[in-house]
Amino acid sequence: MGEKSPPLLGGNKPHLEKLTLGITRILESSPGVTEVTIIEKAPAERHMISSWEQKNNCILPEDVKNFYLMTNGFHMTWNVKLDDHTIPLGSMAINSISKLTQLNQSSMYSLPNAPTLADLEDETEEASEDQLEKPHFDTRSVIFELDSCNGNGKVCLVYKTGKPALAQDTEIWFLDRALYWHFLTDTFTAYYRLLITHLGLPQWQYAFTSYGISPQAKQWFNMYKPITYNTNLLTEETDSFVNKLDPSKVFKSKNKPLIPKKKGPVQPACAQKGPPGSSTSKSSSGSGNPVRK
């Protein structure tokens, strides 16, 4: 449908450089990073945005509209080469306008009495004064998926007032794998900056949760630190199990010259202790015969 295009290396076109805020140059200069790739997508047409708004009875925020008028979705990846193996690591993605689908929309093929996300609602849970009201899976909120996060959760565009939904009522939230909500940003523009500055590192969205990122993800965060990040989250209570890796040493050649071991000075024969039972070992007993009681 015109969404798939051949991948491009970072920095090949000026408009892609603006779209990625110059992050490709930083990645390409990082040790071990290889194959920084952007899938170029054509801009969405205005009638596609209008038809989406009419179909979903929601008005998109201006920054989301401007994004889709620049590119109909976004997908940027980068790999790391360890020894002779290439490992996919970074991934930054935003769904196209056609894949900006409602999260809690039930399928037409589902059973009549099948459980839905709305059944997870807890009526006793209320927002406190210092805590934002979380999105609802029922009709009180309208939720659209921006990014599936490679199976680690979902980043969602949330309308907090239900339908008809207005642009000023939107927020960006992260839904983790346990179906708990975590607030990210007020606007799509702020979220896009978070996406770029965190380099698409694995599980970076969990840095905005109370339980944080996993120990394995912390290893990658220590090697490729985001451009803006609270470093206290990396060091707090993690010094006991996080290795302090130095990328410049990790990707160095392992062929090191052999260094001969130094031999210590040879002790004279008179200084050596005799074997058990010799005259030197009997000197402390005073007599060679055992004393019987």
Side-chain angles (χ1 to χ4, degrees):
M1 299 296 293
E3 291 185 6
K4 292 185 178 179
S5 301
L8 299 174
L9 294 178
N12 281 358
K13 293 190 176 183
H15 72 279
L16 291 179
E17 190 75 10
K18 293 180 180 179
L19 183 65
T20 58
L21 306 179
I23 204 68
T24 54
R25 297 180 182 179
I26 297 176
L27 286 172
E28 289 169 347
S29 61
S30 300
V33 174
T34 181
E35 299 178 15
V36 181
T37 306
I38 307 172
I39 299 178
E40 186 180 15
K41 300 187 178 184
E45 299 181 4
R46 291 188 178 274
H47 72 84
M48 297 172 62
I49 298 175
S50 300
S51 61
W52 184 94
E53 291 178 332
Q54 293 176 4
K55 175 184 176 182
N56 295 282
N57 198 14
C58 298
I59 303 298
L60 283 174
E62 285 299 320
D63 52 358
V64 179
K65 289 182 183 179
N66 293 333
F67 171 80
Y68 282 122
L69 289 174
M70 183 184 300
T71 174
N72 190 9
F74 177 68
H75 192 199
M76 179 178 178
T77 59
W78 53 279
N79 302 335
V80 170
K81 192 170 184 180
L82 295 176
D83 295 333
D84 296 330
H85 303 282
T86 301
I87 302 174
L89 187 62
S91 177
M92 292 162 266
I94 295 176
N95 288 338
S96 63
I97 187 73
S98 61
K99 294 183 178 179
L100 189 63
T101 55
Q102 190 170 339
L103 184 65
N104 52 356
Q105 200 169 31
S106 60
S107 174
M108 60 181 297
Y109 300 105
S110 60
L111 297 175
N113 297 325
T116 63
L117 288 174
D119 296 325
L120 298 175
E121 287 295 329
D122 186 4
E123 299 296 337
T124 61
E125 183 180 359
E126 296 181 358
S128 58
E129 295 181 357
D130 57 344
Q131 188 178 8
L132 292 172
E133 181 184 359
K134 295 182 179 180
H136 300 281
F137 290 114
D138 54 21
T139 56
R140 287 175 289 178
S141 300
V142 188
I143 306 167
F144 297 95
E145 180 183 326
L146 286 171
D147 181 14
S148 61
C149 305
N150 290 329
N152 292 317
K154 295 181 184 296
V155 174
C156 300
L157 175 69
V158 178
Y159 290 83
K160 301 294 290 291
T161 57
K163 294 183 180 181
L166 303 178
Q168 62 266 25
D169 297 327
T170 57
E171 293 173 347
I172 308 297
W173 287 73
F174 174 61
L175 180 66
D176 65 19
R177 295 186 64 178
L179 300 180
Y180 286 102
W181 288 104
H182 309 275
F183 176 76
L184 291 179
T185 61
D186 288 317
T187 63
F188 174 80
T189 301
Y191 167 72
Y192 184 77
R193 290 172 181 167
L194 282 181
L195 174 68
I196 295 296
T197 55
H198 280 81
L199 308 179
L201 287 165
Q203 304 174 17
W204 70 265
Q205 297 88 355
Y206 283 88
F208 295 87
T209 66
S210 58
Y211 30 85
I213 57 180
S214 67
Q216 181 183 7
K218 284 187 175 75
Q219 302 288 1
W220 294 117
F221 269 65
N222 281 322
M223 294 181 65
Y224 303 103
K225 292 186 178 181
I227 299 174
T228 56
Y229 186 74
N230 185 5
T231 55
N232 294 331
L233 295 177
L234 285 179
T235 58
E236 183 180 358
E237 298 180 358
T238 59
D239 292 335
S240 58
F241 59 88
V242 176
N243 296 328
K244 303 301 181 182
L245 299 177
D246 186 356
S248 61
K249 294 181 180 179
V250 171
F251 300 105
K252 266 187 176 180
S253 175
K254 296 181 179 180
N255 299 326
K256 296 182 179 180
L258 296 176
I259 302 175
K261 295 182 179 180
K262 294 182 179 180
K263 295 183 179 181
V266 180
Q267 295 181 353
C270 60
Q272 297 179 355
K273 293 183 178 180
S278 62
S279 58
T280 56
S281 63
K282 293 180 180 179
S283 59
S284 59
S285 62
S287 175
N289 298 323
V291 180
R292 294 186 179 179
K293 292 183 181 180

